[in-house]
Amino acid sequence: MNQAAAIARFEALASAVRLDVYRLLMREGPGGMVAGEIAAALELAPTNLSFHLKCLSRAGLVTVVQEGRYQRYRAHLPSMLEVLTYLTEECCGGAPELCAELATFSARLGAQAGKRG
Amino acid sequence: MNQAAAIARFEALASAVRLDVYRLLMREGPGGMVAGEIAAALELAPTNLSFHLKCLSRAGLVTVVQEGRYQRYRAHLPSMLEVLTYLTEECCGGAPELCAELATFSARLGAQAGKRG
DNA sequence: ACAATAATTCAATAATTGTTGTAGAGTTGA
DNA sequence: TCAACTCTACAACAATTATTGAATTATTGT
């Protein structure tokens, strides 16, 4: 993961609308939601939601698949794992035992992400 | 943790300068760095660095303590834990076993944060 | 083919954020 | 007290981001 990709993901979550959308999709889990459902749940204008969904998907934080005339969105856990790994790379140069714990945590989140797709 | 605080933290990391600073402080670990050292390491103008450090500290991602005429900055792990918890609250409503794994991960990062202060 | 539905793209406007230079507040050591 | 040093506060300019409405693309069912 490079710096530009990490910034795109932080920018994506640095907006009230997008943070609400992402957390909603997190709560919804593997089933995901179609755009209209998200708009109804958060009371957003379709145009505005579309703008923010595109931002989230371009950042890699959510995935989209077309279902007929609907677009189904899902939170994408592996991309969050990548961000956390990027943040904590070479962490605690003077205290390597802490880094071992981070590695363990990453492995756990990674295993979970595998189940979600 | 509320939405506004979470947004402040994502905004804080959604800038190349601040992301570099945060990762540098992460690598440096508990010892932290004074502003001048950070400026030298990243080749930043003092005024500009000060602006970004304030943003990071107001967001709670770094801590500052005064040491004589120096200001020492350190990455603050508990605030990162809070953000992750906020993101994954009520995660995977339809698959509770995944949430159990997230709880485990949070506990681990929490224990680590305790050592760092 | 047609009308209805779902979602996006585009263009215009409003609002926010980043960078730079100058000045100033606090600390140190003689 | 004075000069040197570290860092921050303020103001001005440049650049980016968010929201809205109208129009467009694509799909469904009759």
Side-chain angles (χ1 to χ4, degrees):
Chain A
M1 151 145 271
N2 60 24
Q3 190 204 52
I7 289 173
R9 289 176 191 179
F10 287 120
E11 277 178 350
L13 294 173
S15 139
V17 170
R18 293 190 296 264
L19 189 51
D20 286 347
V21 170
Y22 186 77
R23 296 215 314 150
L24 179 61
L25 290 175
M26 272 289 207
R27 287 197 293 278
E28 200 62 22
M33 294 175 81
V34 301
E37 291 172 342
I38 300 171
L42 301 178
E43 297 183 357
L44 295 167
T47 300
N48 196 18
L49 175 61
S50 187
F51 170 82
H52 290 296
L53 283 172
K54 186 176 178 181
C55 181
L56 283 165
S57 62
R58 287 182 71 91
L61 289 174
V62 305
T63 60
V64 204
V65 297
Q66 184 162 355
E67 294 184 356
R69 68 182 114 178
Y70 301 90
Q71 302 284 322
R72 181 166 297 273
Y73 288 87
R74 294 181 174 88
H76 189 243
L77 269 62
S79 61
M80 183 54 60
L81 169 63
E82 285 174 2
V83 172
L84 297 175
T85 301
Y86 180 77
L87 277 184
T88 54
E89 259 169 10
E90 307 169 43
C91 160
C92 307
E97 76 280 8
L98 298 182
C99 296
E101 296 194 29
L102 278 177
T104 301
F105 128 63
S106 292
R108 282 176 177 270
L109 191 56
Q112 180 188 197
K115 297 184 194 172
R116 287 277 297 269
Chain B
M1 151 146 272
N2 60 23
Q3 190 204 53
I7 289 172
R9 288 176 193 180
F10 287 121
E11 277 178 349
L13 294 173
S15 138
V17 170
R18 293 190 296 265
L19 189 51
D20 285 347
V21 170
Y22 186 77
R23 296 216 312 152
L24 180 60
L25 290 175
M26 271 289 206
R27 288 197 294 277
E28 199 62 21
M33 293 176 79
V34 300
E37 291 171 343
I38 300 170
L42 301 179
E43 298 183 356
L44 294 167
T47 299
N48 195 19
L49 175 60
S50 186
F51 170 83
H52 291 296
L53 283 172
K54 184 177 179 182
C55 181
L56 283 166
S57 61
R58 287 182 71 90
L61 290 173
V62 306
T63 60
V64 203
V65 296
Q66 183 160 355
E67 293 183 357
R69 69 182 112 177
Y70 303 90
Q71 303 282 322
R72 182 166 297 273
Y73 289 88
R74 293 181 175 89
H76 187 243
L77 269 62
S79 61
M80 183 54 60
L81 170 62
E82 286 174 1
V83 172
L84 297 176
T85 301
Y86 180 78
L87 276 184
T88 54
E89 259 169 9
E90 307 169 44
C91 160
C92 308
E97 76 279 8
L98 298 182
C99 296
E101 295 193 29
L102 277 177
T104 301
F105 127 63
S106 292
R108 281 176 178 270
L109 191 55
Q112 179 188 199
K115 297 184 191 171
R116 288 275 299 265

